[in-house]
Amino acid sequence: MPSQNQTRIDQLYGLIANEEDARICKDIPEEACREVPKNFFLILAANVLTKLGDLLISPKTVLAWMMSAVGAPALVAWLVPIRESGSMIPQMIIGAWVRRKAVRKWFWTLGSFGQAVSVVGMAASVWFLKGYGAGLGIVAGLIGFSLARGFCSVAMKDVQGKCIPKTRRGRLSGLATTLGGALTVVMTALLFWDRGDPTLGFYTLLLLLAAALWVIAGILFANVEEYSGETGGGNNAMAEAVKSLSLLRDDAPFRHFVITRALLLCSALAAPYFVVLAQRESDVGWMLGVFLLASSLASSVSASFWGWAADTSSRRVIIRGAAMASLVCLLVGIAALVFGPGVGGAWFYPFAFFVLTIAHAGVRLGRKTYLVDMAGGNKRTDYTAVSNTVIGVLLLITGGLTAALSLISDIAVILVLGLMGLAGTISALRLREVTED
């Protein structure tokens, strides 16, 4: 007999799944199907907590301010590349390790604990060190954080693919982003709105709070009921990683997906340049709060819509998100070029940033759902590891090129990224449907 709590969980999952039989499973075993409601909410809670943690150590806001506060402003330029690429580039090797284990949730749990330890290291650097010693300590902690995050990234898609049915993965990701976005709106207002320059003690407590969130998330994820799956890879991790690269040569649909994803980096890379143009035309402190709220609100209002849509067709979500991103970049670039950077007044760039963030949420959620749905078994782990490693390298290269182009004109960067997104949209139109496979 199921317990009363289990019955309530099943009923709540039935409401979210929006079907009479909330346990319809298309591509997971029957024994895993019975655990779907419990696993759905455990994974959901873990994702929401980590999204809140991400806000508290955002390299674009909190860590950047922190670097200036400790006296190491020159190190700010390294924060975003390390945060984004550090978790991606090693993923072929990480994927080879993960593939050897039949149960892979422990990689996510240990990765979450590793992120917590790294953030505690950052807090210690802020509290005990000064100047560039503190700054280098933050950078070292961020490197450890990004590497630990790599384990979480590989393991999450695989565990989700084994524990959540194909037509419910998009709404899980969308609901997590919506809840996380709603909570970050509140947290942003409480922590950053009209507070002036935070003290080092405030930064330290902020980091320790973020570390606690990752510890709790790891404990919750450890309780996911994951059944044994396929294993493989008897060679060393480096050999397996090199072997996995052959997927780009031999697997045409996967290669096309990676090319499309690379072109759609525009939705992530363009956002900072909207902020840069706005900072030149408005009060920096006031605009920062507006951009933080715009980011949180965009995630909150759009993610569930994108998630439900991805369960119908993740390909169409990618196309729509890509089209929105490229269009807003081209419109902003052309308007700024023709009418000057002050076009539209104080609210023009925050509104454009809001739309771009909605588009980026669609691109991000659509391609994550697409990747999980297009592969099964060990291929899912290999696809995740290879694509993330390749994109991590391309992110560094593209970031360097856009940084060089920004020396000429920030508006030119936005226009080039808009054209890049347009090419990505055209490429996405040629992706095959995978939701009903």
Side-chain angles (χ1 to χ4, degrees):
M1 292 290 292
S3 66
Q4 187 175 7
N5 286 339
Q6 183 63 44
T7 301
R8 290 174 179 171
I9 290 173
D10 290 354
Q11 291 172 344
L12 183 57
Y13 176 73
L15 291 174
I16 294 174
N18 194 28
E19 56 191 16
E20 293 182 2
D21 182 359
R23 292 175 178 176
I24 290 178
C25 301
K26 293 189 174 183
D27 64 338
I28 63 175
E30 178 61 29
E31 62 270 20
C33 188
R34 290 193 295 268
E35 303 294 341
V36 166
K38 172 187 174 183
N39 288 337
F40 184 93
F41 289 109
L42 284 172
I43 295 174
L44 175 65
N47 277 336
V48 170
L49 289 172
T50 58
K51 288 180 186 301
L52 287 174
D54 285 336
L55 170 73
L56 296 181
I57 67 155
S58 169
K60 295 179 181 179
T61 55
V62 178
L63 294 186
W65 292 344
M66 198 177 299
M67 283 294 192
S68 297
V70 300
L75 297 177
V76 169
W78 292 99
L79 295 176
V80 172
I82 289 173
R83 165 64 178 80
E84 297 298 330
S85 299
S87 62
M88 291 183 177
I89 293 175
Q91 284 195 14
M92 286 194 298
I93 297 176
I94 292 172
W97 292 338
V98 171
R99 191 173 56 241
R100 297 178 184 179
K101 302 297 181 181
V103 175
R104 295 161 184 176
K105 67 179 182 179
W106 301 113
F107 285 98
W108 197 96
T109 296
L110 292 175
S112 187
F113 291 162
Q115 289 174 87
V117 171
S118 299
V119 174
V120 170
M122 295 183 201
S125 298
V126 171
W127 188 250
F128 293 109
L129 302 176
K130 294 181 180 180
Y132 280 92
L136 291 173
I138 294 171
V139 169
L142 189 58
I143 292 172
F145 176 91
S146 297
L147 292 174
R149 195 176 189 86
F151 284 92
C152 292
S153 179
V154 172
M156 174 58 81
K157 292 183 179 66
D158 198 61
V159 173
Q160 185 175 324
K162 291 166 66 179
C163 297
I164 305 298
K166 177 176 282 191
T167 57
R168 296 298 173 261
R169 295 165 190 159
R171 68 191 62 189
L172 170 59
S173 299
L175 188 58
T177 303
T178 294
L179 291 174
L183 291 173
T184 56
V185 170
V186 177
M187 190 170 290
T188 299
L190 291 175
L191 295 177
F192 300 110
W193 190 263
D194 197 28
R195 282 186 174 267
D197 292 328
T199 64
L200 292 182
F202 173 82
Y203 282 127
T204 302
L205 291 175
L206 205 64
L207 292 172
L208 292 176
L209 174 58
L213 292 175
W214 269 291
V215 170
I216 297 170
I219 293 172
L220 290 174
F221 205 86
N223 286 281
V224 169
E225 295 292 340
E226 179 192 358
Y227 289 85
S228 298
E230 299 177 38
T231 60
N235 300 325
N236 65 60
M238 181 62 75
E240 288 297 316
V242 173
K243 183 180 177 181
S244 295
L245 279 174
S246 63
L247 284 170
L248 293 171
R249 181 192 65 212
D250 302 331
D251 192 327
F254 175 65
R255 181 173 63 247
H256 184 196
F257 168 79
V258 173
I259 292 171
T260 303
R261 183 181 172 186
L263 291 171
L264 296 182
L265 288 174
C266 68
S267 65
L269 293 173
Y273 293 97
F274 285 29
V275 178
V276 168
L277 290 178
Q279 287 175 341
R280 292 177 181 171
E281 302 301 321
S282 306
D283 177 73
V284 173
W286 177 75
M287 291 302 295
L288 179 58
V290 173
F291 277 107
L292 286 171
L293 287 176
S295 178
S296 298
L297 285 171
S299 297
S300 179
V301 302
S302 69
S304 283
F305 166 76
W306 288 128
W308 261 259
D311 286 333
T312 302
S313 173
S314 53
R315 170 183 170 271
R316 287 201 292 269
V317 168
I318 296 173
I319 293 169
R320 290 166 183 167
M324 285 179 62
S326 59
L327 182 62
V328 71
C329 287
L330 291 173
L331 286 176
V332 168
I334 291 172
L337 188 65
V338 174
F339 301 105
V343 59
W347 293 100
F348 177 73
Y349 292 113
F351 178 75
F353 181 87
F354 177 78
V355 176
L356 181 63
T357 304
I358 290 177
H360 178 65
V363 171
R364 191 168 183 268
L365 197 148
R367 55 97 172 161
K368 282 186 173 184
T369 305
Y370 190 93
L371 183 63
V372 173
D373 286 348
M374 78 184 295
N378 278 337
K379 263 195 172 183
R380 186 178 291 120
T381 304
D382 288 340
Y383 278 8
T384 301
V386 173
S387 64
N388 281 352
T389 301
V390 171
I391 294 301
V393 174
L394 291 177
L395 184 61
L396 287 175
I397 295 173
T398 308
L401 292 175
T402 54
L405 183 59
S406 69
L407 297 175
I408 302 173
S409 169
D410 292 327
I411 297 173
V413 173
I414 294 174
L415 287 170
V416 169
L417 290 174
L419 293 173
M420 182 175 162
L422 183 61
T425 304
I426 295 171
S427 182
L429 288 168
R430 297 175 50 244
L431 290 171
R432 66 180 179 90
E433 287 286 356
V434 295
T435 304
E436 298 299 329
D437 286 357

